[in-house]
Amino acid sequence: MTVSPTRRGLTLTAAAREFIRHPSPWLIGATLVAALSARILHGHWEIGDAIVALAMLAVFPFLEWTIHVVILHWRPRRIAGVTVDPLLARKHREHHVEPRDIPLVFIPWQSLVWVLPLAVAIGVLLFPATGAGLGRGLTFLAWLSVLGLGYEWCHYLVHTDYKPKTALYRSIWRNHRQHHFKNEHYWFTVTSSGTADRVLGTYPDPATVATSPTAKNLHGAAG
């Protein structure tokens, strides 16, 4: 029997069972297994691998913020007579309308089938394809997969009825819930407690922010 992730008294174990029923954790997880296996087989471990990992941890909140603002909150527009409205933006608008609809929480698999190969291509372009350079590229891809899985899990968990047990998760939970139920123009980070938001000016005192009438209806347009 499947336990609903919006059921009161939800445990982490029950939440995890639901989490693995969705496509994106498997697609990202498969990428992680492939990248990590290739990295281990390749060898050539150097300090550069640690630098790549630390740099990605520092940059990821800003990448997350940028994707959320620029892509997920994309306003449909006509360019050269064609309406540009990507699937990620459409699904994110639906997610704001129904934030408790769990399938809408996840990155659409249709997007991942091109995003994941793009990530591989970026790894190839950023690092030389031989020796230690290849190793750093594989480290990049493995860490990106770890961060992607972390994003999916954290975002999913915030939208379930699992109650925060630690101060860190409570702050992350509160941050993202304010984005959905207070004002969609602020609090764009998901996996950290306002890190990029604090730097980029989207982490106001909630008491000073008016409740937005379009938090569940982005851009004031349905769908």
Side-chain angles (χ1 to χ4, degrees), residues 27 108-118:
L27 289 169
W109 67 264
Q110 298 94 330
S111 297
L112 283 176
V113 296
W114 64 264
V115 167
L116 292 174
L118 177 62

Side-chain angles (χ1 to χ4, degrees), residues 30-216:
T31 304
L32 171 59
V33 170
L36 186 58
S37 298
R39 183 66 193 88
I40 292 171
L41 289 172
H42 179 70
H44 297 285
W45 297 95
E46 294 186 350
I47 190 64
D49 292 285
I51 293 172
V52 167
L54 291 173
M56 292 181 71
L57 285 172
V59 168
F60 189 74
F62 296 91
L63 176 63
E64 190 178 270
W65 188 97
T66 301
I67 291 173
H68 200 162
V69 172
V70 176
I71 298 176
L72 301 186
H73 281 226
W74 170 270
R75 183 185 294 271
R77 64 202 68 182
R78 291 185 67 81
I79 300 176
V82 177
T83 299
V84 179
D85 191 14
L87 175 65
L88 283 168
R90 298 199 306 272
K91 288 296 182 183
H92 193 71
R93 291 200 301 276
E94 292 177 23
H95 172 51
H96 269 264
V97 171
E98 296 289 349
R100 289 174 62 81
D101 188 338
I102 294 302
L104 291 174
V105 169
F106 294 93
I107 301 171
W109 67 264
Q110 298 94 330
S111 297
L112 283 176
V113 296
W114 64 264
V115 167
L116 292 174
L118 177 62
V120 174
I122 291 172
V124 170
L125 291 173
L126 283 178
F127 304 96
T130 58
L134 176 58
R136 288 192 292 271
L138 292 170
T139 296
F140 164 83
L141 188 58
W143 266 105
L144 187 62
S145 302
V146 168
L147 294 169
L149 273 177
Y151 172 89
E152 287 290 80
W153 170 251
C154 188
H155 189 213
Y156 157 75
L157 199 62
V158 167
H159 285 278
T160 70
D161 280 327
Y162 177 75
K163 298 304 178 186
K165 300 293 194 301
T166 65
L168 175 60
Y169 177 61
R170 190 177 300 113
S171 64
I172 292 171
W173 180 91
R174 186 184 305 112
N175 196 68
H176 192 59
R177 292 237 167 182
Q178 285 173 164
H179 174 76
H180 273 280
F181 301 110
K182 180 70 172 177
N183 195 304
E184 77 277 19
H185 302 296
Y186 304 100
W187 307 295
F188 290 103
T189 55
V190 176
T191 60
S192 60
S193 181
T195 46
D197 284 308
R198 294 173 193 269
V199 174
L200 298 171
T202 50
Y203 195 83
D205 179 350
T208 67
V209 177
T211 299
S212 170
T214 55
K216 294 187 70 175

